[in-house]
Amino acid sequence: MKREAIIVVGAGISGALLARALSDAGIDVLILEKSRGFGGRMATRRWDDQRFDHGAQFFTLRSERAREALQPLVDSGVLARWPGGEGAEANEERWIGRPGISAVARALAGGIRVMNGVRASEAIPDKEGWTVRLDDGGELRCRFLALTSPVPQSLAILHHAVGEMETPLRLRLESIAYDPCYALLAKMKHPATGAWRAGLQLMDDRIAWVADNQTKLQPREMGNGALVAHSTASFALRHEAADRDLVAERMAEAVEEILGLDLGERRAHWWKFASPASRIAEPVLFSNAPSPVLFCGDAFGAGKVEGAILSGIAAGEVARERLEPS
């Protein structure tokens, strides 16, 4: 069986940037992604003729490194500015993907081998690296493993090897926690107005954020509105076991009450690992024990999407240094 140079688990922004750096350096790389798409929590869902970014809504590019890494996507039109908005970030450049935010990771991974709809169930260290077992019974082998999924999921993949890792590193990884969130996707019965449509942070114990994704579209793309609302972590925890239709109803009622809207069809999406509640200061962690493995993502470094971008860039440098012939 062929042994891959590196397997990257997760086709989110960190995994895509890591894989892009290696591929551009001439290093063979394979991405495993459990979903059918790209982006991880930078997710876009089509519903009839409307698009909903139901995870991350936008991101900043304050860092010159992040801006430089994504400049080709700006030049190609995949990245665009989202004007408007209120609050602390209103005066900053807010970047969105076109036709949806998932297009960012998809574009970065262009030309790289990706196995979609494939879940890595466990990774077992061997003499030459790793044997990665898949949920469908298949197996892959690699010299180097990169885990970009939420840390609890990454540690679950490594359950056979966790005890062999350096204790301080293992304890740091095990300390990372995440807050959950529900996303409400709702079609609007009538076109709406108001500054909230370009994103508004709410001081409410049920709804934390609301926006109309219609404002992200090109002028020629018409529609009444595609509302996305994110719940607070406390609301999500209180309703974790609730029926999703009931959650959608309660969130829609809260949004209608707060903004005076009349919403149509609605759905709820559960994000178990919506955002890190605690993070590691370094942008990437690497271990040789028991075989070469690195961890990166939005729980490393600065956090949020831009932190995940910088983490993916740093991970690419770490992996490239260890994989390139000396």
Side-chain angles (χ1 to χ4, degrees), residues 1 75 93 103 105 111 137 149 159 161 164 182 198 215 230 238 274 283 294 308 319:
M1 179 186 295
D75 297 339
E93 289 183 340
S149 50
H159 64 98
E164 300 178 59
Y182 273 110
T215 63
H230 288 162
R238 292 197 305 270
L294 67 74

Side-chain angles (χ1 to χ4, degrees), residues 1-300:
M1 179 186 295
K2 174 187 175 183
R3 185 173 291 270
E4 306 287 346
I6 181 169
I7 289 177
V8 177
V9 177
I13 189 77
S14 293
L17 278 164
L18 162 58
R20 180 82 273 149
L22 297 178
S23 180
D24 288 350
I27 296 170
D28 190 35
V29 56
L30 172 64
I31 301 175
L32 300 184
E33 171 54 49
K34 65 181 180 181
S35 73
R36 291 176 296 175
F38 294 81
R41 283 160 286 164
M42 293 174 67
T44 305
R45 179 176 295 181
R46 286 295 300 267
W47 182 4
D48 295 334
D49 60 346
Q50 292 172 299
R51 295 185 188 92
F52 297 79
D53 291 336
H54 58 293
Q57 294 292 297
F58 68 92
F59 56 93
T60 59
L61 291 174
R62 301 184 183 102
S63 161
E64 190 61 35
R65 294 195 79 198
R67 185 179 290 270
E68 182 179 333
L70 269 63
Q71 185 61 44
L73 302 191
V74 178
D75 297 339
S76 67
V78 172
L79 273 184
R81 292 182 181 89
W82 186 25
E86 297 184 13
E89 290 144 340
N91 296 321
E92 290 187 307
E93 289 183 340
R94 305 182 310 160
W95 294 93
I96 58 173
R98 290 213 165 123
I101 202 161
S102 64
V104 178
R106 182 183 298 108
L108 288 169
I112 297 172
R113 288 187 302 140
V114 181
M115 293 176 64
N116 286 100
V118 174
R119 184 189 296 266
S121 58
E122 58 183 347
I124 302 170
D126 58 43
K127 293 180 180 179
E128 298 179 64
W130 297 91
T131 297
V132 180
R133 292 179 176 167
L134 310 177
D135 271 4
D136 63 5
E139 278 190 358
L140 298 167
R141 291 189 174 89
C142 61
R143 290 163 46 204
F144 194 112
L145 184 63
L147 298 168
T148 74
S149 50
V151 175
Q153 293 180 334
S154 296
L155 291 177
I157 292 170
L158 292 181
H159 64 98
H160 282 298
V162 167
E164 300 178 59
M165 296 173 65
E166 304 97 323
T167 299
L169 183 141
R170 174 178 59 81
L171 291 176
R172 294 184 73 196
L173 291 169
E174 290 176 344
S175 73
I176 297 174
Y178 291 75
D179 286 329
C181 172
Y182 273 110
L184 170 70
L185 291 67
K187 296 180 180 180
M188 298 174 66
K189 292 182 179 179
H190 310 286
T193 59
W196 69 267
R197 297 181 63 230
L200 179 63
Q201 194 102 23
L202 298 177
M203 300 298 292
D204 185 82
D205 65 350
R206 300 159 296 176
I207 307 298
W209 164 268
V210 64
D212 179 5
N213 279 198
Q214 186 72 30
T215 63
K216 299 179 179 180
L217 302 183
Q218 305 277 23
R220 65 179 180 273
E221 298 177 284
M222 304 301 292
N224 284 338
L227 182 138
V228 173
H230 288 162
S231 78
T232 61
S234 59
F235 177 94
L237 287 169
R238 292 197 305 270
H239 295 83
E240 180 175 358
D243 178 80
R244 298 295 185 261
D245 290 339
L246 176 61
V247 171
E249 198 62 37
R250 289 183 176 174
M251 289 184 68
E253 289 171 358
V255 170
E256 289 175 331
E257 171 194 322
I258 295 166
L259 296 177
L261 299 176
D262 187 13
L263 300 181
E265 294 179 84
R266 67 282 311 261
R267 297 174 179 175
H269 179 87
W270 168 251
W271 292 107
K272 183 175 182 178
F273 302 107
S275 58
S278 55
R279 299 196 309 274
I280 298 293
E282 298 94 320
V284 58
L285 288 184
F286 170 78
S287 175
N288 261 320
S291 289
V293 57
L294 67 74
F295 302 83
C296 67
D298 66 348
F300 300 84

